[in-house]
């Protein structure tokens, strides 16, 4: 059989088999989730755009990073079994680490509940900026020299 016919045959078989292989791989991976909600401790108002980090306790590697939605909710999906640590941060609030949670076959969907962040006053330090004018300023119609700071004058 010529090479071109073999390529056509292999390509046709691959087109028929690949969609089923992808569907099987997606359905064989069980849905495991860790989710919760971030709120202001004093008012109970949702904190949108809070940064939520998920770390595997055993390896110390990052398992995910999401931002909370407008209603303060966050969700990590497609996780493997194991223990995870959830750390929540938001601008103007003290960060909070949730005690480690364990995903197991018996508990594939974990709700860490409401994570309440306390507001922290952020004090900015004064900044002073100093600049010097250039001694020579080139412009399209003229060249200006600042002789005040030149040592030869």
């Amino acid at each position: 059989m010529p090479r071109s016919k073999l390529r056509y045959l292999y390509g046709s078989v691959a087109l028929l088999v690949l969609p089923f292989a992808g569907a099987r791989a997606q359905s064989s991976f069980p849905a495991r989730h860790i989710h919760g909600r971030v709120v202001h401790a004093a008012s109970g108002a949702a904190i949108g755009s809070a940064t939520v980090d998920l770390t595997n306790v055993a390896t110390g590697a990052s398992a995910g990073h999401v931002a909370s939605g407008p209603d303060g909710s966050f969700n990590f999906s497609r996780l493997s079994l194991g223990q995870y640590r959830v750390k929540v941060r938001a601008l103007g609030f003290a960060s909070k680490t949730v005690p480690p949670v364990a995903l197991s076959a018996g508990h594939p969907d974990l709700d860490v509940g409401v994570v309440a962040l306390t507001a922290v006053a952020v004090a900015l330090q004064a900044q002073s900026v100093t600049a010097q004018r250039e001694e020579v300023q080139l412009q399209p119609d003229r060249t200006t020299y600042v002789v005040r700071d030149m040592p030869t004058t």
Side-chain angles (χ1 to χ4, degrees):
M1 197 178 269
R3 279 191 182 262
S4 62
K5 287 186 179 180
L6 280 175
R7 277 192 199 145
Y8 178 74
L9 179 65
Y10 288 141
S12 299
V13 170
L15 286 175
L16 291 173
V17 173
L18 285 177
F20 296 111
R24 178 176 163 82
Q26 289 175 358
S27 65
S28 66
F29 193 63
R32 296 187 194 108
H33 303 281
I34 294 178
H35 53 91
R37 190 164 174 258
V38 183
V39 298
H40 189 286
S43 67
I47 300 175
S49 300
T51 303
V52 185
D53 295 315
L54 187 68
T55 307
N56 189 321
V57 174
T59 62
S62 174
H65 176 84
V66 296
S68 63
D71 61 345
S73 65
F74 63 90
N75 184 24
F76 293 98
S77 59
R78 305 185 78 189
L79 299 169
S80 59
L81 299 178
Q83 278 196 326
Y84 294 96
R85 181 172 293 118
V86 179
K87 183 175 183 177
V88 182
R89 295 176 288 144
L91 187 63
F93 294 91
S95 65
K96 187 170 188 178
T97 303
V98 178
V101 294
L103 277 177
S104 64
H107 298 286
D109 189 22
L110 286 175
D111 184 6
V112 295
V114 175
V115 180
L117 299 181
T118 55
V120 176
V122 179
L124 299 176
Q125 295 178 352
Q127 298 287 325
S128 67
V129 177
T130 56
Q132 289 182 330
R133 291 183 96 177
E134 295 182 23
E135 293 178 354
V136 179
Q137 296 176 355
L138 299 174
Q139 296 172 347
D141 58 339
R142 65 180 165 262
T143 302
T144 307
Y145 297 95
V146 179
V147 295
R148 176 176 15 128
D149 297 328
M150 289 185 175
T152 58
T153 56

